[in-house]
Amino acid sequence: MVEGLPGNGEVAARLELMGDLLEIEGAVRHRVLAYRRGAARIRATPESVAALAVAGRAVELPDIGATLQDKVAELATTGTIGALDRLCSRVPPGLAEVARLPGLGPRRARALFEQAGVTGLDGLRRALAEGRLAGVEGIGPKTVAALEAELAARDAAPADALAPLGRALPAAERVAAALAAATGARVEVAGSLRRGADRVKDVDLAAASDDPEAVHRALAGLGLVDEVLTEGPEKTAVRTHDGLRVELRTAPPDRFGNLLQHLTGSRAHNVRLRELARRQGRSVSEHGIVDAEGRTATSPDEAGVYRELGLEWIPPELREDRGEIEQARDGRLPRLVEVGDLRGDLHTHSTWSDGTATIAEMAAAAAARGYDYLGVSDHSRSLAMAGGLDPDRLRRQWEEIARVQEGVSGVRLLRASEVDILADGRLDFDDEVLAALDWVTASVHSAFRQPPERITARLLAAIEHPHVDAIGHPTGRMLGRREGYAFDVDRVLEAAARTGTCLEVNGQPARLDLDAALARRALEAGVRLIVSSDAHSTDALGFVRNGVLVARRAGARAEDVANTRQWPGLRD
DNA sequence: GCCGTTTTCGGCCCGACTGTTTTCAGTCG
């Protein structure tokens, strides 16, 4: 973050508001789109766009032209945007929130303003309570009922309704498997979940079948389904008993690739793809690619869809309009790391601290996964509530590791530790103990509320420590529960790159830490990653799958992830 | 408002479903 300048999030929010209000006012559609695109670009940019705009260099970003740059620079230097202030005097800014309610939109928000005097959510509540919505154009009794239900639901549970990847992915696969079993159709998870997003709003499924209606009927009839939300011949949306919204689309097998590509998105990726096709005089949709003569090209698989457009197949995790289409055109896509590339897991727990499986059980599970090595990394003593080990118990644990090793072939058991980074920056073990360990992961588990300089100093001290090999869950965030602690990311990345200290991508469903954006920055800074399960049970070793998805979204190749190496090379 | 191996002007991504209308616009993904 650059001192005194508005952050990218704030800049993007202002431009989004401008887009929303212009849309309600009835501005030309593509002008609205330009504001939204510019805002999305700013949000996804790792540097300070305000600083770039002041220097006249924001126009070098795609989707940012002279006009948007001027507005960002004005915001950076004066703290306001004159055009936005004038717009707010014509269109009450609270209407933007009203327009985002399900079932409403810019046109109905405007009608509510002009015909019922609604200027925001509170005004809408009053108008509803007083029955003043009858007669407003485009708003009938069903919309009124839906609005009342929505506002009541918000009062009851204001928490965000996003499901974390680690919960949504297994749930989605359960639905897909049940549907496949019931119909014999091929069913695939698509949408943001397939792209590895760490939180998702809903689950998209794509099914290949010559009898689509039977598949739609089958979904509505599954025991997992609580409520059918929409029903049509081509699209069904349901809510499962565990609260997940699931949307199904179907296609005959010969154009399943077109459907899967369409449903996987992202929206921005698909827009770019369609623009590319349009320049070639063709049109892309889930039904196929139509050329100027009206001929339709379809494909049973996604690779055929991309090939038709002159592109390499693009891994779903990269489909975010970050330059992947150009890379695919030029054959420059990275070969992303895969779960099968991992040679071992260096962050796992056993019954010696807060794990539920013995070292022997964890070793057997690691062997079953085909690992070459397993780091047994129980907590250190300061984490008393997790049964952290003091040096004496640690030494006795080493004896057990040696005993178990005798009965296990194929997997090398490593003396590892997840050692606490104490509040003052010291580590929870002496250097002598640390030196005897094969692998040391240092983690922050306490004093999260320290000021950013203190947290930064703790992380830097651990990174600079000669016996520390990796930093565990580097930001401390818990998905949907708490933000990570604040620290100076650039300094931490610089130090990690310089000292060769790995940063972890922790695959625990509640963590996913680093996240994809930070992992990408780490790679750009020259930092090597490590993908870990942080398993506290044998089944949880599978959490590396979540971590690999995050690493792939960051663009990581196998060589960017340390634990794709054999142990001797990694140790050295 | 942005952008250009068709363009510095004239384009700009595509289709399904719902609720509101009385044949379709708006919303959603």
Side-chain angles (χ1 to χ4, degrees):
Chain A
M1 181 159 329
V2 178
E3 210 63 37
L5 287 178
N8 289 351
E10 188 192 336
V11 174
R14 300 282 188 111
L15 296 185
E16 270 157 14
L17 180 61
M18 277 202 81
D20 289 348
L21 297 181
L22 282 169
E23 187 176 36
I24 293 168
E25 197 177 39
V28 182
R29 176 170 172 64
H30 294 96
R31 195 170 156 221
V32 173
L33 213 70
Y35 275 94
R36 299 220 169 112
R37 268 192 176 179
R41 179 65 57 186
I42 289 168
R43 219 178 265 291
T45 300
E47 316 162 66
S48 163
V49 175
L52 286 176
V54 170
R57 291 186 43 229
V59 285
E60 294 168 18
L61 295 169
D63 307 321
I64 307 294
T67 309
L68 288 187
Q69 167 165 282
D70 286 349
K71 290 188 166 61
V72 176
E74 185 188 352
L75 179 65
T77 51
T78 70
T80 60
I81 301 174
L84 175 57
D85 295 342
R86 289 190 294 280
L87 184 56
C88 286
S89 69
R90 301 193 300 269
V91 184
L95 285 180
E97 215 174 349
V98 172
R100 272 196 297 273
L101 289 168
L104 296 186
R107 304 295 288 264
R108 285 174 187 147
R110 182 175 179 177
L112 285 167
F113 173 50
E114 291 177 343
Q115 297 168 36
V118 170
T119 60
L121 280 186
D122 287 338
L124 179 62
R125 279 177 212 275
R126 281 196 299 277
L128 273 170
E130 294 161 14
R132 283 189 283 113
L133 260 43
V136 175
E137 228 171 293
I139 309 245
K142 287 207 172 180
T143 307
V144 169
L147 284 174
E148 282 169 343
E150 171 67 21
L151 292 174
R154 286 186 177 211
D155 291 340
D160 72 9
L162 298 177
L165 168 77
R167 183 171 81 78
L169 189 54
E173 285 170 342
R174 274 196 299 278
V175 178
L179 189 57
T183 62
R186 174 180 171 198
V187 185
E188 299 279 347
V189 175
S192 56
L193 206 48
R194 181 162 180 245
R195 301 198 311 275
D198 54 20
R199 275 178 280 188
V200 302
K201 190 160 63 67
D202 60 11
V203 169
D204 294 293
L205 298 180
S209 172
D210 286 315
D211 186 3
E213 283 192 43
V215 183
H216 287 282
R217 273 198 312 274
L219 175 65
L222 285 182
L224 309 147
V225 169
D226 178 29
E227 184 189 357
V228 177
L229 302 170
T230 68
E231 246 181 322
E234 306 215 23
K235 179 167 136 180
T236 305
V238 301
R239 189 175 306 287
T240 63
H241 287 293
D242 50 6
L244 216 53
R245 182 191 157 97
V246 177
E247 202 168 302
L248 170 74
R249 300 276 311 261
T250 45
D254 64 346
R255 57 181 172 85
F256 181 68
N258 302 85
L259 177 67
L260 184 60
Q261 193 289 317
H262 170 82
L263 279 187
T264 298
S266 66
R267 179 191 294 243
H269 173 86
N270 283 356
V271 167
R272 293 291 179 199
L273 218 53
R274 291 177 193 138
E275 285 174 350
L276 173 79
R278 186 138 286 289
R279 285 198 292 278
Q280 304 168 350
R282 299 191 285 180
S283 167
V284 178
S285 81
E286 61 267 49
H287 302 301
I289 301 172
V290 184
D291 69 13
E293 278 79 47
R295 289 184 303 245
T296 303
T298 62
S299 170
D301 56 60
E302 271 190 331
V305 178
Y306 284 98
R307 200 182 312 120
E308 180 68 29
L309 293 167
L311 303 172
E312 268 188 276
W313 178 78
I314 302 174
E317 297 90 340
L318 296 181
R319 300 181 195 170
E320 299 288 347
D321 184 27
R322 302 186 55 111
E324 72 278 6
I325 290 175
E326 291 72 19
Q327 288 181 311
R329 189 191 56 205
D330 303 341
R332 290 187 290 114
L333 286 169
R335 191 190 86 68
L336 300 179
V337 62
E338 294 170 12
V339 172
D341 292 327
L342 302 184
R343 298 313 328 140
D345 195 333
L346 292 163
H347 185 171
T348 70
H349 298 270
S350 75
T351 47
W352 280 79
S353 65
D354 58 349
T356 60
T358 63
I359 294 175
E361 289 164 343
M362 293 297 283
R369 293 185 63 85
Y371 283 159
D372 296 336
Y373 51 89
L374 177 76
V376 182
S377 62
D378 281 300
H379 290 287
S380 60
R381 61 186 155 193
S382 288
L383 209 59
M385 71 175 187
L389 307 181
D390 61 24
D392 281 347
R393 285 185 65 218
L394 185 65
R395 289 197 175 84
R396 275 185 281 140
Q397 186 204 37
W398 292 348
E399 290 164 16
E400 174 161 340
I401 288 175
R403 274 197 305 278
V404 172
Q405 181 72 78
E406 284 174 23
V408 175
S409 60
V411 178
R412 183 187 180 111
L413 299 179
L414 301 175
R415 294 175 177 179
S417 175
E418 183 180 15
V419 60
D420 264 46
I421 302 171
L422 302 176
D424 61 5
R426 286 180 303 124
L427 296 179
D428 202 15
F429 287 132
D430 293 338
D431 285 5
E432 181 196 350
V433 175
L434 293 171
L437 288 162
D438 294 317
W439 187 266
V440 175
T441 298
S443 304
V444 169
H445 288 122
S446 60
F448 292 169
R449 292 173 181 281
Q450 286 178 339
E453 329 60 278
R454 294 281 302 280
I455 301 269
T456 305
R458 288 166 74 189
L459 289 168
L460 289 176
I463 288 168
E464 302 278 358
H465 196 292
H467 294 310
V468 170
D469 300 297
I471 302 296
H473 43 74
T475 78
R477 73 144 171 188
M478 296 292 263
L479 270 175
R481 297 232 312 272
R482 68 166 189 240
E483 299 286 312
Y485 32 79
F487 64 95
D488 187 331
V489 172
D490 288 325
R491 288 182 65 198
V492 164
L493 295 184
E494 183 279 323
R498 177 168 42 74
T499 60
T501 308
C502 299
L503 295 186
E504 181 181 67
V505 175
N506 185 303
Q508 281 275 339
R511 290 195 185 273
L512 301 183
D513 178 13
L514 303 171
D515 68 14
L518 271 178
R520 182 175 285 270
R521 277 176 75 181
L523 290 173
E524 284 166 359
V527 174
R528 187 155 293 169
L529 304 175
I530 188 146
V531 173
S532 310
S533 67
D534 196 356
H536 288 66
S537 67
T538 53
D539 285 348
L541 286 171
F543 289 160
V544 288
R545 180 186 178 197
N546 304 326
V548 166
L549 274 172
V550 172
R552 288 170 63 86
R553 266 173 89 76
R557 305 158 301 168
E559 55 266 43
D560 297 319
V561 176
N563 53 317
T564 60
R565 295 191 171 196
Q566 307 283 345
W567 171 245
L570 179 55
R571 179 192 56 206
D572 298 340

PDB file of all heavy atoms in Angstrom, chain A residues 178-201:
ATOM      1  N   ALA A 178     -24.408 -38.584  -7.308  1.00  0.00           N
ATOM      2  CA  ALA A 178     -25.775 -39.093  -7.132  1.00  0.00           C
ATOM      3  C   ALA A 178     -26.557 -38.954  -8.433  1.00  0.00           C
ATOM      4  O   ALA A 178     -27.307 -39.859  -8.828  1.00  0.00           O
ATOM      5  CB  ALA A 178     -26.474 -38.331  -6.002  1.00  0.00           C
ATOM      6  N   LEU A 179     -26.363 -37.833  -9.113  1.00  0.00           N
ATOM      7  CA  LEU A 179     -27.079 -37.594 -10.365  1.00  0.00           C
ATOM      8  C   LEU A 179     -26.597 -38.556 -11.456  1.00  0.00           C
ATOM      9  O   LEU A 179     -27.398 -39.098 -12.224  1.00  0.00           O
ATOM     10  CB  LEU A 179     -26.870 -36.138 -10.797  1.00  0.00           C
ATOM     11  CG  LEU A 179     -27.707 -35.643 -11.966  1.00  0.00           C
ATOM     12  CD1 LEU A 179     -29.189 -35.818 -11.668  1.00  0.00           C
ATOM     13  CD2 LEU A 179     -27.392 -34.184 -12.262  1.00  0.00           C
ATOM     14  N   ALA A 180     -25.287 -38.775 -11.494  1.00  0.00           N
ATOM     15  CA  ALA A 180     -24.734 -39.704 -12.481  1.00  0.00           C
ATOM     16  C   ALA A 180     -25.255 -41.117 -12.218  1.00  0.00           C
ATOM     17  O   ALA A 180     -25.625 -41.841 -13.147  1.00  0.00           O
ATOM     18  CB  ALA A 180     -23.203 -39.671 -12.438  1.00  0.00           C
ATOM     19  N   ALA A 181     -25.319 -41.491 -10.946  1.00  0.00           N
ATOM     20  CA  ALA A 181     -25.789 -42.837 -10.603  1.00  0.00           C
ATOM     21  C   ALA A 181     -27.261 -43.002 -10.961  1.00  0.00           C
ATOM     22  O   ALA A 181     -27.685 -44.066 -11.405  1.00  0.00           O
ATOM     23  CB  ALA A 181     -25.573 -43.101  -9.112  1.00  0.00           C
ATOM     24  N   ALA A 182     -28.043 -41.936 -10.796  1.00  0.00           N
ATOM     25  CA  ALA A 182     -29.483 -42.021 -11.038  1.00  0.00           C
ATOM     26  C   ALA A 182     -29.822 -42.039 -12.528  1.00  0.00           C
ATOM     27  O   ALA A 182     -30.880 -42.520 -12.920  1.00  0.00           O
ATOM     28  CB  ALA A 182     -30.202 -40.854 -10.356  1.00  0.00           C
ATOM     29  N   THR A 183     -28.941 -41.498 -13.366  1.00  0.00           N
ATOM     30  CA  THR A 183     -29.297 -41.314 -14.778  1.00  0.00           C
ATOM     31  C   THR A 183     -28.337 -41.971 -15.762  1.00  0.00           C
ATOM     32  O   THR A 183     -28.656 -42.101 -16.940  1.00  0.00           O
ATOM     33  CB  THR A 183     -29.319 -39.816 -15.129  1.00  0.00           C
ATOM     34  OG1 THR A 183     -27.995 -39.282 -14.926  1.00  0.00           O
ATOM     35  CG2 THR A 183     -30.314 -39.069 -14.251  1.00  0.00           C
ATOM     36  N   GLY A 184     -27.141 -42.320 -15.310  1.00  0.00           N
ATOM     37  CA  GLY A 184     -26.140 -42.842 -16.230  1.00  0.00           C
ATOM     38  C   GLY A 184     -25.467 -41.747 -17.048  1.00  0.00           C
ATOM     39  O   GLY A 184     -24.621 -42.029 -17.896  1.00  0.00           O
ATOM     40  N   ALA A 185     -25.842 -40.468 -16.810  1.00  0.00           N
ATOM     41  CA  ALA A 185     -25.239 -39.363 -17.564  1.00  0.00           C
ATOM     42  C   ALA A 185     -23.851 -39.054 -17.021  1.00  0.00           C
ATOM     43  O   ALA A 185     -23.530 -39.366 -15.874  1.00  0.00           O
ATOM     44  CB  ALA A 185     -26.118 -38.115 -17.451  1.00  0.00           C
ATOM     45  N   ARG A 186     -23.023 -38.452 -17.864  1.00  0.00           N
ATOM     46  CA  ARG A 186     -21.742 -37.927 -17.384  1.00  0.00           C
ATOM     47  C   ARG A 186     -22.024 -36.564 -16.751  1.00  0.00           C
ATOM     48  O   ARG A 186     -22.628 -35.693 -17.378  1.00  0.00           O
ATOM     49  CB  ARG A 186     -20.783 -37.783 -18.563  1.00  0.00           C
ATOM     50  CG  ARG A 186     -19.487 -37.103 -18.184  1.00  0.00           C
ATOM     51  CD  ARG A 186     -18.559 -36.979 -19.382  1.00  0.00           C
ATOM     52  NE  ARG A 186     -17.411 -36.132 -19.032  1.00  0.00           N
ATOM     53  CZ  ARG A 186     -16.621 -35.563 -19.932  1.00  0.00           C
ATOM     54  NH1 ARG A 186     -16.850 -35.749 -21.220  1.00  0.00           N
ATOM     55  NH2 ARG A 186     -15.609 -34.828 -19.545  1.00  0.00           N
ATOM     56  N   VAL A 187     -21.601 -36.392 -15.499  1.00  0.00           N
ATOM     57  CA  VAL A 187     -21.875 -35.136 -14.789  1.00  0.00           C
ATOM     58  C   VAL A 187     -20.569 -34.559 -14.271  1.00  0.00           C
ATOM     59  O   VAL A 187     -19.803 -35.253 -13.601  1.00  0.00           O
ATOM     60  CB  VAL A 187     -22.846 -35.356 -13.605  1.00  0.00           C
ATOM     61  CG1 VAL A 187     -23.208 -34.021 -12.956  1.00  0.00           C
ATOM     62  CG2 VAL A 187     -24.105 -36.082 -14.052  1.00  0.00           C
ATOM     63  N   GLU A 188     -20.300 -33.294 -14.596  1.00  0.00           N
ATOM     64  CA  GLU A 188     -19.054 -32.653 -14.158  1.00  0.00           C
ATOM     65  C   GLU A 188     -19.353 -31.380 -13.364  1.00  0.00           C
ATOM     66  O   GLU A 188     -20.299 -30.650 -13.682  1.00  0.00           O
ATOM     67  CB  GLU A 188     -18.202 -32.251 -15.378  1.00  0.00           C
ATOM     68  CG  GLU A 188     -17.782 -33.402 -16.268  1.00  0.00           C
ATOM     69  CD  GLU A 188     -16.578 -34.146 -15.728  1.00  0.00           C
ATOM     70  OE1 GLU A 188     -15.913 -33.626 -14.789  1.00  0.00           O
ATOM     71  OE2 GLU A 188     -16.309 -35.258 -16.241  1.00  0.00           O
ATOM     72  N   VAL A 189     -18.512 -31.124 -12.362  1.00  0.00           N
ATOM     73  CA  VAL A 189     -18.587 -29.856 -11.644  1.00  0.00           C
ATOM     74  C   VAL A 189     -17.957 -28.782 -12.523  1.00  0.00           C
ATOM     75  O   VAL A 189     -16.874 -28.970 -13.063  1.00  0.00           O
ATOM     76  CB  VAL A 189     -17.838 -29.945 -10.303  1.00  0.00           C
ATOM     77  CG1 VAL A 189     -17.822 -28.584  -9.612  1.00  0.00           C
ATOM     78  CG2 VAL A 189     -18.483 -30.994  -9.407  1.00  0.00           C
ATOM     79  N   ALA A 190     -18.651 -27.653 -12.693  1.00  0.00           N
ATOM     80  CA  ALA A 190     -18.130 -26.548 -13.510  1.00  0.00           C
ATOM     81  C   ALA A 190     -18.081 -25.288 -12.646  1.00  0.00           C
ATOM     82  O   ALA A 190     -17.954 -25.367 -11.434  1.00  0.00           O
ATOM     83  CB  ALA A 190     -19.009 -26.361 -14.750  1.00  0.00           C
ATOM     84  N   GLY A 191     -18.187 -24.129 -13.269  1.00  0.00           N
ATOM     85  CA  GLY A 191     -18.274 -22.875 -12.522  1.00  0.00           C
ATOM     86  C   GLY A 191     -17.026 -22.528 -11.732  1.00  0.00           C
ATOM     87  O   GLY A 191     -15.949 -23.073 -11.948  1.00  0.00           O
ATOM     88  N   SER A 192     -17.206 -21.604 -10.783  1.00  0.00           N
ATOM     89  CA  SER A 192     -16.062 -21.083 -10.037  1.00  0.00           C
ATOM     90  C   SER A 192     -15.416 -22.171  -9.182  1.00  0.00           C
ATOM     91  O   SER A 192     -14.225 -22.104  -8.880  1.00  0.00           O
ATOM     92  CB  SER A 192     -16.490 -19.916  -9.153  1.00  0.00           C
ATOM     93  OG  SER A 192     -17.540 -20.309  -8.296  1.00  0.00           O
ATOM     94  N   LEU A 193     -16.180 -23.185  -8.826  1.00  0.00           N
ATOM     95  CA  LEU A 193     -15.621 -24.284  -8.049  1.00  0.00           C
ATOM     96  C   LEU A 193     -14.567 -25.032  -8.874  1.00  0.00           C
ATOM     97  O   LEU A 193     -13.506 -25.392  -8.367  1.00  0.00           O
ATOM     98  CB  LEU A 193     -16.759 -25.230  -7.655  1.00  0.00           C
ATOM     99  CG  LEU A 193     -16.599 -26.076  -6.412  1.00  0.00           C
ATOM    100  CD1 LEU A 193     -16.111 -25.256  -5.239  1.00  0.00           C
ATOM    101  CD2 LEU A 193     -17.924 -26.741  -6.087  1.00  0.00           C
ATOM    102  N   ARG A 194     -14.852 -25.261 -10.140  1.00  0.00           N
ATOM    103  CA  ARG A 194     -13.885 -25.942 -11.009  1.00  0.00           C
ATOM    104  C   ARG A 194     -12.652 -25.059 -11.214  1.00  0.00           C
ATOM    105  O   ARG A 194     -11.547 -25.555 -11.403  1.00  0.00           O
ATOM    106  CB  ARG A 194     -14.536 -26.267 -12.358  1.00  0.00           C
ATOM    107  CG  ARG A 194     -13.609 -26.992 -13.316  1.00  0.00           C
ATOM    108  CD  ARG A 194     -14.373 -27.686 -14.439  1.00  0.00           C
ATOM    109  NE  ARG A 194     -13.470 -28.374 -15.353  1.00  0.00           N
ATOM    110  CZ  ARG A 194     -13.306 -28.037 -16.642  1.00  0.00           C
ATOM    111  NH1 ARG A 194     -14.019 -27.054 -17.175  1.00  0.00           N
ATOM    112  NH2 ARG A 194     -12.453 -28.689 -17.395  1.00  0.00           N
ATOM    113  N   ARG A 195     -12.836 -23.759 -11.144  1.00  0.00           N
ATOM    114  CA  ARG A 195     -11.698 -22.849 -11.286  1.00  0.00           C
ATOM    115  C   ARG A 195     -10.911 -22.742  -9.991  1.00  0.00           C
ATOM    116  O   ARG A 195      -9.904 -22.038  -9.922  1.00  0.00           O
ATOM    117  CB  ARG A 195     -12.168 -21.456 -11.722  1.00  0.00           C
ATOM    118  CG  ARG A 195     -12.932 -21.443 -13.040  1.00  0.00           C
ATOM    119  CD  ARG A 195     -12.994 -20.050 -13.652  1.00  0.00           C
ATOM    120  NE  ARG A 195     -13.416 -19.013 -12.725  1.00  0.00           N
ATOM    121  CZ  ARG A 195     -14.685 -18.710 -12.453  1.00  0.00           C
ATOM    122  NH1 ARG A 195     -15.653 -19.376 -13.042  1.00  0.00           N
ATOM    123  NH2 ARG A 195     -14.975 -17.758 -11.595  1.00  0.00           N
ATOM    124  N   GLY A 196     -11.392 -23.374  -8.919  1.00  0.00           N
ATOM    125  CA  GLY A 196     -10.644 -23.377  -7.665  1.00  0.00           C
ATOM    126  C   GLY A 196     -10.834 -22.120  -6.831  1.00  0.00           C
ATOM    127  O   GLY A 196      -9.991 -21.822  -5.987  1.00  0.00           O
ATOM    128  N   ALA A 197     -11.933 -21.395  -7.030  1.00  0.00           N
ATOM    129  CA  ALA A 197     -12.193 -20.210  -6.204  1.00  0.00           C
ATOM    130  C   ALA A 197     -12.298 -20.634  -4.743  1.00  0.00           C
ATOM    131  O   ALA A 197     -12.850 -21.693  -4.444  1.00  0.00           O
ATOM    132  CB  ALA A 197     -13.485 -19.530  -6.654  1.00  0.00           C
ATOM    133  N   ASP A 198     -11.775 -19.843  -3.803  1.00  0.00           N
ATOM    134  CA  ASP A 198     -11.760 -20.324  -2.417  1.00  0.00           C
ATOM    135  C   ASP A 198     -13.111 -20.195  -1.733  1.00  0.00           C
ATOM    136  O   ASP A 198     -13.355 -20.852  -0.730  1.00  0.00           O
ATOM    137  CB  ASP A 198     -10.628 -19.718  -1.591  1.00  0.00           C
ATOM    138  CG  ASP A 198     -10.616 -18.206  -1.616  1.00  0.00           C
ATOM    139  OD1 ASP A 198     -11.651 -17.603  -1.943  1.00  0.00           O
ATOM    140  OD2 ASP A 198      -9.563 -17.632  -1.294  1.00  0.00           O
ATOM    141  N   ARG A 199     -13.989 -19.360  -2.269  1.00  0.00           N
ATOM    142  CA  ARG A 199     -15.356 -19.324  -1.774  1.00  0.00           C
ATOM    143  C   ARG A 199     -16.305 -19.229  -2.960  1.00  0.00           C
ATOM    144  O   ARG A 199     -16.012 -18.509  -3.909  1.00  0.00           O
ATOM    145  CB  ARG A 199     -15.571 -18.123  -0.838  1.00  0.00           C
ATOM    146  CG  ARG A 199     -15.163 -18.437   0.585  1.00  0.00           C
ATOM    147  CD  ARG A 199     -15.347 -17.241   1.465  1.00  0.00           C
ATOM    148  NE  ARG A 199     -14.240 -16.309   1.301  1.00  0.00           N
ATOM    149  CZ  ARG A 199     -14.091 -15.240   2.080  1.00  0.00           C
ATOM    150  NH1 ARG A 199     -14.964 -14.964   3.008  1.00  0.00           N
ATOM    151  NH2 ARG A 199     -13.053 -14.453   1.888  1.00  0.00           N
ATOM    152  N   VAL A 200     -17.426 -19.922  -2.901  1.00  0.00           N
ATOM    153  CA  VAL A 200     -18.336 -19.926  -4.044  1.00  0.00           C
ATOM    154  C   VAL A 200     -19.757 -19.595  -3.607  1.00  0.00           C
ATOM    155  O   VAL A 200     -20.161 -19.872  -2.486  1.00  0.00           O
ATOM    156  CB  VAL A 200     -18.331 -21.282  -4.779  1.00  0.00           C
ATOM    157  CG1 VAL A 200     -16.934 -21.621  -5.263  1.00  0.00           C
ATOM    158  CG2 VAL A 200     -18.873 -22.394  -3.898  1.00  0.00           C
ATOM    159  N   LYS A 201     -20.471 -18.955  -4.534  1.00  0.00           N
ATOM    160  CA  LYS A 201     -21.850 -18.573  -4.271  1.00  0.00           C
ATOM    161  C   LYS A 201     -22.779 -19.749  -4.552  1.00  0.00           C
ATOM    162  O   LYS A 201     -23.783 -19.922  -3.881  1.00  0.00           O
ATOM    163  CB  LYS A 201     -22.215 -17.385  -5.175  1.00  0.00           C
ATOM    164  CG  LYS A 201     -23.520 -16.711  -4.867  1.00  0.00           C
ATOM    165  CD  LYS A 201     -23.548 -15.306  -5.455  1.00  0.00           C
ATOM    166  CE  LYS A 201     -23.468 -15.270  -6.971  1.00  0.00           C
ATOM    167  NZ  LYS A 201     -24.659 -15.842  -7.636  1.00  0.00           N
TER     168      LYS A 201
END
